Structures are given as structure tokens and as C-alpha cells.
């Protein structure tokens, strides 16, 4: 059960790092580490994750369960879907999932997911701009970032949101353990910000440009590049 134990911290450098430190516990699977603020919140590609006190949700889920087949690369879409469904449950917002890990509301990023691995145990970090005010965002992300409050006009109840997110994540991740990827990917496709668009994807030194056509069963992206060839991309940053 996701959230069978919730470790609540007022402040920590990064909930992902804290979670990795306790991932060896026998009951680690499903433990959630939650912080009021992070002093070294980490985004993908070594970026910082803006983590001001109490405005957002900064959490990490430890996943020690057996994940079927290639499904580890599906953790990101699975949790993005759980997040989207939780937002939809409480509001009329239409969250979209930008491959591989961004939650987009009205064209701007409201949440992100960072999955890391330690000794074959996955730690899925989720950062959500819940009640963050737009003027709080630092200059460099001001034009690209938003929050659930800014887009819905309402104050979000953190505890109610977390309860629902744990429940929905539990269902989605159980489906993953059972190998039930088809249904998951269909729901992700229905909410995709990426599919059908011409996108530029950077993966380290490699850059790919083309039309995003669909997903493979392992969650990787199918891209139609200039010469008409269809390539399969497992990870990267989408522009
Ligand atoms: C991204 O979009 O770049 C991923 C952002 C992930 C941020 C979360 S906040 C909780 C957890 N702890 C971290 O240091 N990072 C993740």
C-alpha cells in the first residue's frame, strides 16, 4: 500500500535522498517521505526544484515491489497518470502529461517526477506546485511554471490531496506489477501534451527532432524523424 507509512519532515535537503537512506528497511515498499520544504530539491538533468515552505508537495515513494518486465521505465507515466487523475478528481482542470515526466496545466508546468534507483530499489520523487503563488516563482522559471491554485483559483487541501494521490497511485502501480500496460498507456495517451506535435528531444549530447507518434509498450516514445524513419526514444527532455 502506497503511504502505509508516511515519514514527515519539516525540512530536508531532498526527499529522494532521505528515501534512499531508508530504502533498505524491510517494510520500505510503499513508504512515502514528505517534506515541508527542501533545501536541495532536485529536478531532472541536475536542475533545482523550487521547494518553498509548505506551498508545494515534495514527496518520494519507495518502490521495492517486483515490477513486471520492462515496467520500471513506466513508473514515470504511471505516476503522472495518478497525479492527473487526482487533480481531475478535485477540480475541472485538464492536466496534460508532457513526456516523460511533466504535468502541464494550461501550457505551464505544475509538477514533475524524478525516478531514481538505489540497489535495485526505485525512489519516485514527486514535486507539485500546489498552493504556490505565481509571484513566488524565481525569475528563471516564471514564464514556464504554474500551480494548481493559480490555475483553479482555489486553495488545495494538502492532506485530502495526498490521501487521494496515494490511493490512485496504489491502483495504477498494482496494474503495472500485473503487467497491465495497455490500459495505462491509453489513459496517458488521452492526456498527452506531446503526441501529435513536432518536438525536439535532448538526451545528453543527442538531439532528435520529429513528430511524436505514440508510445511503445515500455513507455518509450516513437518519433518520426526527417527521413521518415521511426525511432524509439527511452529518455530525454522534450521542448
Ligand atoms: C523534474 O520535473 O525535473 C522533476 C522534479 C522532481 C522534484 C521532486 S520534489 C520531491 C523529490 N525530491 C527531490 O529532490 N526531487 C523530487
Amino acid at each position: 500500500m502506497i503511504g502505509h507509512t508516511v515519514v514527515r519532515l519539516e525540512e530536508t535537503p531532498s526527499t529522494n535522498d532521505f528515501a534512499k537512506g531508508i530504502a533498505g528497511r524491510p517494510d520500505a515498499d510503499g513508504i512515502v517521505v514528505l517534506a515541508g520544504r527542501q533545501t536541495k530539491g532536485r529536478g531532472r538533468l541536475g536542475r533545482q526544484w523550487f521547494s518553498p515552505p509548505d506551498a508545494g508537495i515534495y514527496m518520494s515513494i519507495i518502490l521495492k515491489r517486483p515490477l513486471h518486465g520492462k515496467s520500471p521505465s513506466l513508473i514515470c507515466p504511471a505516476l503522472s497518470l495518478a497525479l492527473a487523475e487526482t487533480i481531475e478528481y478535485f477540480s475541472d482542470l485538464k492536466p496534460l502529461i508532457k513526456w516523460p515526466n511533466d504535468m502541464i496545466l494550461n501550457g505551464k508546468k505544475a509538477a514533475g517526477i524524478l525516478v531514481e534507483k538505489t540497489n535495485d530499489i526505485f525512489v519516485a520523487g514527486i514535486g507539485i506546485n500546489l498552493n504556490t503563488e505565481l509571484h513566488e516563482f524565481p525569475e528563471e522559471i516564471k514564464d514556464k511554471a504554474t500551480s494548481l491554485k493559480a490555475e483553479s483559483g482555489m486553495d488545495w487541501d494538502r492532506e485530502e490531496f495526498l490521501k487521494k494521490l496515494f490511493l490512485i497511485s496504489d491502483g495504477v502501480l498494482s496494474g503495472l506489477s500485473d503487467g497491465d500496460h495497455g490500459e495505462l498507456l491509453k489513459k496517458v495517451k488521452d492526456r498527452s501534451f506531446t503526441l501529435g506535435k513536432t518536438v525536439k528531444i535532448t538526451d545528453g549530447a543527442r538531439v532528435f527532432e520529429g513528430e511524436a507518434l505514440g508510445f511503445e509498450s515500455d513507455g518509450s516514445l516513437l518519433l518520426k524523424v526527417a527521413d521518415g524513419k521511426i525511432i524509439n526514444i527511452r529518455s530525454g527532455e522534450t521542448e
Side-chain angles (χ1 to χ4, degrees), residues 13-17 33 38 40-45 47-49 51 57-60 101-102 109 111-114 116 124-128 237:
S14 156
T15 55
N16 266 27
D17 291 342
V33 178
Q38 298 183 114
K40 285 196 178 133
R42 220 173 27 249
R44 293 178 74 239
L45 309 172
R47 296 196 186 114
Q48 278 189 351
W49 185 257
S51 313
I57 288 177
Y58 320 113
M59 60 178 265
S60 300
N101 80 322
D102 293 352
K109 178 161 171 172
I113 296 173
L114 174 69
E116 296 178 323
I126 308 180
I128 309 164
E237 182 74 357

Side-chain angles (χ1 to χ4, degrees), residues 5-24:
T5 302
V6 181
V7 179
R8 290 173 187 266
L9 308 165
E10 200 174 313
E11 179 187 300
T12 193
S14 156
T15 55
N16 266 27
D17 291 342
F18 192 97
K20 283 180 190 173
I22 60 168

Side-chain angles (χ1 to χ4, degrees), residues 4-188:
H4 64 79
T5 302
V6 181
V7 179
R8 290 173 187 266
L9 308 165
E10 200 174 313
E11 179 187 300
T12 193
S14 156
T15 55
N16 266 27
D17 291 342
F18 192 97
K20 283 180 190 173
I22 60 168
R25 270 169 60 161
D27 64 340
D29 181 62
I31 289 184
V32 172
V33 178
L34 189 67
R37 66 182 289 243
Q38 298 183 114
T39 50
K40 285 196 178 133
R42 220 173 27 249
R44 293 178 74 239
L45 309 172
R47 296 196 186 114
Q48 278 189 351
W49 185 257
F50 178 57
S51 313
D54 304 322
I57 288 177
Y58 320 113
M59 60 178 265
S60 300
I61 307 173
I62 303 173
L63 295 170
K64 212 171 172 174
R65 60 195 65 194
L67 289 159
H68 188 83
K70 291 178 179 169
S71 60
S73 64
L74 287 164
I75 295 173
C76 239
L79 288 174
S80 301
L81 176 65
L83 192 50
E85 290 188 344
T86 306
I87 295 171
E88 289 163 6
Y89 178 83
F90 289 109
S91 72
D92 292 332
L93 291 171
K94 302 270 175 269
L96 295 178
I97 300 166
K98 182 169 161 189
W99 185 88
N101 80 322
D102 293 352
M103 182 62 52
I104 305 291
L105 293 177
N106 298 322
K108 292 180 173 182
K109 178 161 171 172
I113 296 173
L114 174 69
V115 178
E116 296 178 323
K117 203 173 173 184
T118 175
N119 299 328
D120 281 332
I121 301 168
F122 288 92
V123 169
I126 308 180
I128 309 164
N129 302 330
L130 195 72
N131 289 317
T132 323
E133 302 286 352
L134 289 182
H135 64 81
E136 287 181 82
F137 287 111
E139 203 53 44
E140 59 278 14
I141 56 169
K142 237 186 183 120
D143 296 340
K144 296 182 272 184
T146 192
S147 70
L148 273 60
K149 179 176 179 175
E151 299 306 322
S152 63
M154 66 185 202
D155 267 311
W156 289 65
D157 183 318
R158 163 191 304 269
E159 292 306 318
E160 287 299 310
F161 189 89
L162 286 168
K163 218 174 8 174
K164 196 75 192 170
L165 178 60
F166 295 170
L167 199 71
I168 298 182
S169 300
D170 207 60
V172 174
L173 289 167
S174 304
L176 211 58
S177 301
D178 299 344
D180 175 18
H181 303 170
E183 185 64 13
L184 163 75
L185 287 172
K186 188 191 168 308
K187 289 181 177 171
V188 173

